[in-house]
Amino acid sequence: MDISKTDILIIGSGIAGLSLALKLKDLGEITILTKKRAFETSTSLAQGGIACVMEEDDSFELHIQDTLAVGDGICKKEMVEMVVKSAPERIKDLINWGVEFDRDSENPKKFHLTLEGGHSRRRILHVGDYTGRAIENTLIERVLEVENIKILENFLIVKLITEDLLKPSRISGAFVLDLIHVKPVIFLAKVVVLCTGGAGKVYLYTSNPDTATGDGIALAYQVGCRIANMEFVQFHPTCLYHPKAKNFLISESLRGEGAILLNAEGKRFMHKYEPVKKELAPRDIVTRAIDMELKKTGAECVYLDISHLPSDYIKKRFPYIYETCLKFGIDITSQPIPVVPAAHYLCGGIYTNIWGQTDIPNLFAIGECACTGLHGGNRLASNSLLEALCFSHQASLKIKNMWNELKELKIKPPLIKETAVKEIKEEKIFISHNWDLIRKIMWDFVGIVRSLKMLEFAMKRIEFIKNEIKENWSGIYLDLDTMELKSITIVAELIVRSALQRLESRGTHYLIDYPFKREKYQKDTIIFKNF
Ligand code: SIN
């Protein structure tokens, strides 16, 4: 079996992985593995922007308070403070790498700041309505300029390799499938960093790219990392509702600039659910309000209307959304946009400390796959790109600090035989059917509003699929869909098990049997594997 050696192995090519590679570029050889093309990340799809205190009328204290309030009582304050206070420096990093945020048309010395739900001030830097794509493209360009950073596309990581394969121990690399040459490869590394993003594909409807199958979380769980707060799945209130549209987000910044929500009868409804903030209430509240309206009216979607604003302004401020909706026959300058909620962001993930370190020595996790404590029970809009940037900086400091020790580290190749890798023999329909089942179970029973009966029902079904996988497809298969099915099954199970443990309603986790918050309740829901 091919064995490759690298100093630092980064899994994932979104903002977390790319910015970390740039920060560590002088240390040694860095390899970034990505399972599809480098730009196929959640970062690329981020529209709204990145939050940072920029103006005199704003303060770190206000951004901290907004983050804590939306997080619904269980954010870790030290994490929130670190992120909010280091945001201006991290924005400078992006600008130095070449990201050009939109400027204020009246005062080009200043940036144009937009507003989103839960923010008490305008503090979101953006590049039109395609901020993530602008950041992703710029960072890929910078990374490609550095000789000792390699991006390898179409490499799927299927197993983390630890020194002792049978108990939690130091990381020494990863077992990977080269999807183009259809063969296994071992990558040995002194440090491995999971930047694999979220798990929206666990749900039938999601704003996430196809790559968001929670691989990093499933892998980290299997080697003994603690996984935290998986019950907190954030549903974005407004994804385009159209039979041909797949995962197209209608950014919250439309509401920030004045768009209103209408039900199927053409009536505004948000004041009934949140009389003060209305459309700009935190996402969980807006999402549940839409869910309630859909259930009440029996309609398939609600509408987001920005057509009262000048048409030239809409086209200039939201060019990507305008063009995309037009392709589907919707002119947003004159028509309301049909929208529905969809799974958007996982607030939980691999439990990490303030340096991005996991429970496994030399294994880090950054970005959506991590649970740092910043988001608590619900993420404040536009805090996600920021979290990835801040924690990649933190991890870079820690890795530099450890480097002398790591340089001397001798890594032994693991005892994995090539024969451990198998090919799918039967029809792939068995795999695709289980994919569809998991996503439907999660959407129907572990969605915006949950009940214990629904969660138990979902658990039984997921356990059945898990056993079927164990009986028929245990081990490593040279097939992306099969290996991703294993990831989504593990992640779905972790979400349901966590949801069953949190007997209260908080943040994005709404349980009809326990509709209130409990005062004295656990902060984190932790799950780990028993070896
Ligand atoms: C959006 O533009 O609505 C998404 C921003 C985010 O998820 O923070």
Side-chain angles (χ1 to χ4, degrees), residues 10-22 32-46 94 97 132-141 143 151 193-198 209 211 366-369 384-385 388-389 392:
I10 297 175
I11 322 287
S13 54
I15 185 171
L18 296 172
S19 63
L20 178 70
L22 289 172
I32 303 176
L33 300 181
T34 182
K35 67 178 170 176
K36 292 213 168 160
R37 301 295 311 279
F39 58 83
E40 290 183 68
T41 62
S42 295
T43 300
S44 292
L45 298 190
L94 283 181
W97 283 322
R133 180 157 36 106
I135 293 175
E136 178 81 29
N137 291 348
T138 307
L139 295 185
I140 290 179
E141 270 173 34
V143 161
I151 305 187
V193 190
L194 296 169
C195 304
T196 49
T211 47
I366 308 172
E368 193 174 343
C369 68
S384 54
L385 296 175
L389 261 189
S392 82

Side-chain angles (χ1 to χ4, degrees), residues 5-153:
K5 281 196 178 164
T6 187
D7 289 313
I8 298 161
L9 184 65
I10 297 175
I11 322 287
S13 54
I15 185 171
L18 296 172
S19 63
L20 178 70
L22 289 172
K23 296 236 158 191
L24 295 178
K25 68 181 173 34
D26 298 324
L27 278 194
E29 197 181 299
I30 301 172
T31 304
I32 303 176
L33 300 181
T34 182
K35 67 178 170 176
K36 292 213 168 160
R37 301 295 311 279
F39 58 83
E40 290 183 68
T41 62
S42 295
T43 300
S44 292
L45 298 190
Q47 294 179 354
I50 178 159
C52 177
V53 171
M54 301 292 290
E55 290 294 331
E56 301 271 287
D57 71 338
D58 198 2
S59 67
F60 289 148
E61 205 36 53
L62 284 173
H63 189 182
I64 290 168
Q65 282 315 322
D66 292 346
T67 304
L68 295 174
V70 170
D72 214 5
I74 55 164
C75 297
K76 294 208 171 82
K77 196 154 183 225
E78 71 276 21
M79 300 293 189
V80 179
E81 282 177 349
M82 181 281 284
V83 168
V84 166
K85 290 181 183 169
S86 57
E89 285 304 309
R90 302 291 73 82
I91 295 294
K92 275 190 207 150
D93 289 341
L94 283 181
I95 294 169
N96 291 337
W97 283 322
V99 176
E100 292 182 20
F101 290 108
D102 281 10
R103 302 262 167 187
D104 191 318
S105 55
E106 274 155 34
N107 182 357
K109 283 199 183 132
K110 288 187 167 191
F111 290 106
H112 179 262
L113 301 175
T114 194
L115 184 66
E116 288 180 328
H119 287 275
S120 55
R121 293 287 185 278
R122 282 188 172 261
R123 63 165 78 96
I124 296 156
L125 292 130
H126 63 99
V127 184
D129 56 354
Y130 49 89
T131 312
R133 180 157 36 106
I135 293 175
E136 178 81 29
N137 291 348
T138 307
L139 295 185
I140 290 179
E141 270 173 34
R142 291 294 82 75
V143 161
L144 292 177
E145 289 162 3
V146 185
E147 214 178 301
N148 54 316
I149 310 179
K150 270 192 293 205
I151 305 187
L152 301 182
E153 296 180 326

Side-chain angles (χ1 to χ4, degrees), residues 45-49 116 119 129 207 234 236-238 249-255 283 321 344-345 379-385:
L45 298 190
Q47 294 179 354
E116 288 180 328
H119 287 275
D129 56 354
S207 63
Q234 183 177 74
H236 196 290
T238 57
L249 192 72
I250 306 293
S251 174
E252 189 157 332
S253 48
L254 266 82
R255 278 177 280 136
R283 255 176 222 174
I321 293 172
H344 181 59
Y345 189 87
R379 174 175 67 81
L380 180 66
S382 288
N383 263 359
S384 54
L385 296 175

